[in-house]
Amino acid sequence: MEKHILALQLSHLLGEEFSREWVYSQIEIPKQDKLGDLAFPCFKLAAKFRKSPNEIAAELAPKLKHDIFADAEPIKGYINIFLDQNFIAAHTLKQVLSGHYGKHDFGTGKTIAIDLSAPNIAKPFSMGHLRSTIIGNSLAQIAEHCGYKTVKINYIGDYGTQFGKLLAAYQRWGDEKTVRQNPIAELNKIYVKFHEEAAKTPSLEDEGRQWFKKLEQNEPEALKLWKWFKDASLEEFNKVYQLLGIKFDLTRGEAYYNDKMEAVVQLLKERSLLEESDGAQVVHLDEESLPPCLIKKSDETTTYATRDLTAAIDRYQSYSFSEALYVVGHEQSLHFHQVMQVLKKLQFPWADNMKHISFGMMLQEGKKMSTRRGKTVLLEKVLEEAVHLAKKNIEEKNPTLTHKDKVAQQVGVSAVIFHDLKHDRQNDVEFSLKDMLTFEGHTAPYLQYSCVRANSLLSKGGFNLQEASPSLLDENAWLLIKQLRAYPDVVKTAWKEYDPSKIAKYLLDLAKSFNQYYTVTKILQEDQLHARLTLVYSFSQILKEGLSLLGIETPEAM
Ligand code: ARG
């Protein structure tokens, strides 16, 4: 609110050339509290007004007048604004109490399709897929907070030449009983073996291709095995989703598009986009400075790109999305560029609203993790270990806690989620069980514990919402309220940049402010108890809600 008021006044004072949006974008929050609550830098105005930034600030400052501005001071080329703390404090806390604080409505009436998780059947659910799952899930929560409707789509990797290889491997080395006992591990083992053997005996590759062809032609034996592998894999993936507390609106694999691709191939032909190249069918993307997009291989089989093209068209027909997000690692950046460019060439206007939300890799000792070399750390194992450690911690610190197992699960799983989301989306993340599971410092358990501490103050002090008293107490409270004040903008930025780490980092700052407040303030003393508890309650609400935007639950006690 205060930023909007300031932007409106300043843009009036500055004249048409400086729009309200521009002024708004320039407003800063000073790092030091003594420099005020908002600051407007005048440096970019100097050329137009032919005056020094200092002079401009000195002229503008006295002209800024509003009930919520306590003071405006020109300092070193900036106008520093001090807000009326009493007004802002009461206003902020009232908004938090209303339950709508931090929610936006700019997404109302629009749908976002989110492609997330998308593990490959017969392969372990890797830490790499974890990133997609939890970033995608968090983006869906944030989108809904901004008013959008979301469709979370799990585009399972259940098709492609690699399944030909798997079928060939199963024919050679598969044993039904062992696969039934431990499907993913066993299938992955023979898949890895296939690659090792194929390095020595190249004719194996042909065998793989032949099996894929059989699959494409719906031959019963190939189809039966494929379906078995798929069901068994999904059953194992579902355990992970259940642990993470994640649900999808649609689980639809690549194979679903098997009989729908021909129509797209025809469309490409009709528009004269399809060209032959060494026996294969491709769409040239020279103008876009990209390598050609492979649509059909020389043996007539389709590709990952053909399926994504078909799926995108289908998604638009089903949901008329305003944006389609693909939460997939950096390494597929070329693939998505190609798919989007081909859709543009087909003149689908919505192709501009497709976005590859890429993210960094999960590294192990600085190197990429790969399933093919059989080095992957299994996500399920990590989650189990996290929960186990959380349980151990509870046994040590709070042995009489009720629902220990449930709390251990909430805390352990959250530790893993937060470790991922606190990193800037684009950065690589070094996989470290140790860092994830430290229950101090920049971790989910620290945040959850801050919330539990606040809740215990509320129950000790007998807080009740009807008697809430939203008002300012002192300077220490103001610092915490200032943090709460930033929340709606943080949610908006996290959405605009598709980056949940914005929220994760904010919550760490918020909890820090609360813990500082808690250290210097006797919260439970008689005088003005309810005003203090109202602040504590507001803090706990926003922390809890912010964590839920990351897909993290907060236990009542821990
Ligand atoms: N299954 C693929 C993989 O693990 C990711 C699929 C991503 N989504 C998509 N629409 N291509 O590499």
Side-chain angles (χ1 to χ4, degrees):
M1 170 189 69
E2 58 272 27
K3 272 168 92 177
H4 282 291
I5 293 172
L6 179 60
L8 188 66
Q9 288 209 356
L10 275 173
S11 69
H12 273 309
L13 291 169
L14 293 171
E16 266 170 22
E17 204 174 305
F18 302 94
S19 72
R20 191 155 57 122
E21 290 72 28
W22 180 80
V23 175
Y24 189 95
S25 73
Q26 299 296 304
I27 299 173
E28 299 173 14
I29 311 275
K31 294 236 165 22
Q32 295 175 36
D33 295 311
K34 67 171 199 293
L35 292 179
D37 302 304
L38 299 175
F40 179 77
C42 298
F43 307 96
K44 291 188 184 156
L45 305 174
K48 155 88 184 174
F49 294 106
R50 294 167 195 254
K51 286 181 190 165
S52 74
N54 268 336
E55 285 170 294
I56 300 171
E59 274 175 34
L60 288 173
K63 293 185 185 152
L64 291 171
K65 294 245 168 338
H66 195 278
D67 286 350
I68 65 164
F69 299 154
D71 195 11
E73 287 178 6
I75 303 172
K76 291 187 182 158
Y78 280 88
I79 311 172
N80 287 358
I81 316 285
F82 294 81
L83 298 172
D84 180 326
Q85 299 184 350
N86 284 309
F87 179 88
I88 296 283
H91 180 79
T92 308
L93 297 175
K94 265 185 221 154
Q95 281 185 308
V96 178
L97 295 174
S98 79
H100 291 291
Y101 193 56
K103 297 207 170 94
H104 299 280
D105 55 12
F106 56 82
T108 311
K110 298 183 188 140
T111 300
I112 309 284
I114 306 184
D115 184 303
L116 74 164
S117 197
N120 301 321
I121 63 169
K123 283 202 196 164
F125 194 114
S126 70
M127 290 298 290
H129 288 114
L130 170 75
R131 297 218 70 193
S132 168
T133 311
I134 64 187
I135 293 171
N137 182 57
S138 175
L139 289 177
Q141 309 291 328
I142 298 169
E144 281 173 24
H145 235 61
C146 297
Y148 294 101
K149 190 173 167 306
T150 60
V151 190
K152 286 187 273 179
I153 305 170
N154 193 358
Y155 185 67
I156 302 282
D158 58 2
Y159 218 66
T161 41
Q162 70 270 31
F163 293 101
K165 294 178 190 173
L166 181 66
L167 293 177
Y170 183 79
Q171 296 302 325
R172 284 181 166 254
W173 311 293
D175 171 54
E176 181 170 346
K177 219 171 111 206
T178 21
V179 173
R180 288 222 182 270
Q181 271 158 4
N182 209 349
I184 293 186
E186 199 52 34
L187 292 173
N188 192 47
K189 203 159 96 192
I190 56 173
Y191 183 69
V192 171
K193 187 172 165 115
F194 184 90
H195 279 272
E196 286 164 1
E197 295 292 322
K200 290 179 251 159
T201 324
S203 65
L204 272 181
E205 297 284 352
D206 283 332
E207 242 170 71
R209 268 190 285 274
Q210 279 156 17
W211 271 100
F212 183 56
K213 199 103 209 243
K214 288 189 195 172
L215 190 59
E216 285 228 294
Q217 288 162 352
N218 292 331
E219 280 198 14
E221 175 66 7
L223 213 57
K224 192 182 99 200
L225 286 175
W226 171 80
K227 196 168 173 328
W228 167 34
F229 298 163
K230 176 169 172 160
D231 292 344
S233 304
L234 281 178
E235 208 173 297
E236 289 196 44
F237 296 155
N238 282 336
K239 285 187 212 152
V240 173
Y241 297 135
Q242 211 162 6
L243 265 175
L244 289 171
I246 287 175
K247 291 202 178 79
F248 300 94
D249 300 296
L250 185 67
T251 296
R252 181 173 280 175
E254 294 180 37
Y256 173 84
Y257 296 101
N258 211 2
D259 59 358
K260 298 172 182 62
M261 281 181 284
E262 198 44 42
V264 177
V265 175
Q266 284 311 319
L267 187 65
L268 288 167
K269 247 186 221 155
E270 275 164 33
R271 305 273 174 93
S272 312
L273 293 171
L274 215 53
E275 285 175 60
E276 194 174 315
S277 165
D278 288 334
Q281 305 285 317
V282 304
V283 175
H284 281 290
L285 296 169
D286 299 342
E287 285 160 31
E288 291 77 9
S289 311
L290 294 172
C293 182
L294 184 59
I295 303 293
K296 264 191 168 181
K297 295 185 194 166
S298 51
D299 62 2
E300 289 283 299
T301 54
T302 54
T303 68
Y304 184 46
T306 326
R307 287 187 288 282
D308 253 328
L309 288 169
T310 313
I313 296 171
D314 179 56
R315 283 177 198 178
Y316 189 76
Q317 281 168 353
S318 306
Y319 307 113
S320 309
F321 55 72
S322 70
E323 283 171 57
L325 309 185
Y326 292 81
V327 188
V328 187
H330 281 321
E331 61 275 22
Q332 295 198 20
S333 156
L334 172 62
H335 164 75
F336 284 108
H337 266 116
Q338 291 177 312
V339 168
M340 290 171 200
Q341 289 305 334
V342 172
L343 290 166
K344 272 194 207 185
K345 279 193 180 300
L346 283 169
Q347 287 168 346
F348 289 118
W350 47 262
D352 285 322
N353 305 328
M354 293 168 68
K355 292 179 183 142
H356 177 201
I357 308 299
S358 65
F359 51 80
M361 282 188 290
M362 193 63 95
L363 303 176
Q364 208 171 7
E365 284 149 24
K367 289 203 197 81
K368 189 191 165 177
M369 297 170 151
S370 152
T371 29
R372 195 158 317 153
R373 278 172 280 128
K375 270 204 203 145
T376 314
V377 177
L378 302 187
L379 175 59
E380 210 185 325
K381 291 275 164 300
V382 172
L383 290 174
E384 273 167 17
E385 188 146 349
V387 172
H388 173 75
L389 219 86
K391 180 85 185 285
K392 216 172 101 194
N393 239 9
I394 295 169
E395 295 293 0
E396 276 165 25
K397 295 198 175 130
N398 195 358
T400 57
L401 183 73
T402 44
H403 310 302
K404 272 188 241 178
D405 285 324
K406 180 162 184 244
V407 176
Q409 181 163 325
Q410 282 175 328
V411 173
V413 171
S414 309
V416 177
I417 297 179
F418 194 81
H419 171 80
D420 190 296
L421 290 182
K422 75 175 176 187
H423 292 92
D424 289 0
R425 169 165 65 78
Q426 299 285 5
N427 289 352
D428 290 343
V429 177
E430 177 65 34
F431 170 79
S432 154
L433 259 182
K434 198 167 136 267
D435 282 1
M436 261 177 213
L437 301 177
T438 334
F439 285 28
E440 286 141 33
H442 293 176
T443 65
Y446 163 72
L447 295 175
Q448 289 168 317
Y449 187 66
S450 303
C451 205
V452 166
R453 175 185 270 171
N455 289 341
S456 116
L457 285 167
L458 294 171
S459 72
K460 277 193 195 134
F463 176 73
N464 87 53
L465 201 51
Q466 276 72 45
E467 287 171 50
S469 157
S471 53
L472 180 66
L473 298 144
D474 52 30
E475 190 55 30
N476 294 321
W478 174 245
L479 298 180
L480 178 53
I481 290 170
K482 257 177 82 163
Q483 280 289 348
L484 290 172
R485 195 85 199 126
Y487 179 62
D489 266 358
V490 171
V491 175
K492 192 167 169 183
T493 310
W495 174 249
K496 298 276 172 205
E497 297 181 16
Y498 308 109
D499 193 354
S501 76
K502 296 281 179 295
I503 292 177
K505 287 176 188 153
Y506 166 77
L507 295 178
L508 290 169
D509 288 340
L510 179 67
K512 193 165 141 207
S513 294
F514 170 71
N515 289 320
Q516 275 161 358
Y517 180 66
Y518 175 85
T519 316
V520 296
T521 313
K522 287 206 183 79
I523 292 175
L524 292 176
Q525 65 187 321
E526 272 302 300
D527 179 43
Q528 291 196 303
L529 174 65
H530 251 74
R532 270 190 307 283
L533 291 181
T534 302
L535 177 56
V536 173
Y537 174 79
S538 303
F539 159 74
S540 80
Q541 286 303 99
I542 297 307
L543 180 57
K544 193 169 160 183
E545 191 184 288
L547 283 170
S548 81
L549 292 181
L550 303 179
I552 292 177
E553 288 179 32
T554 313
E556 288 300 315
M558 66 191 265

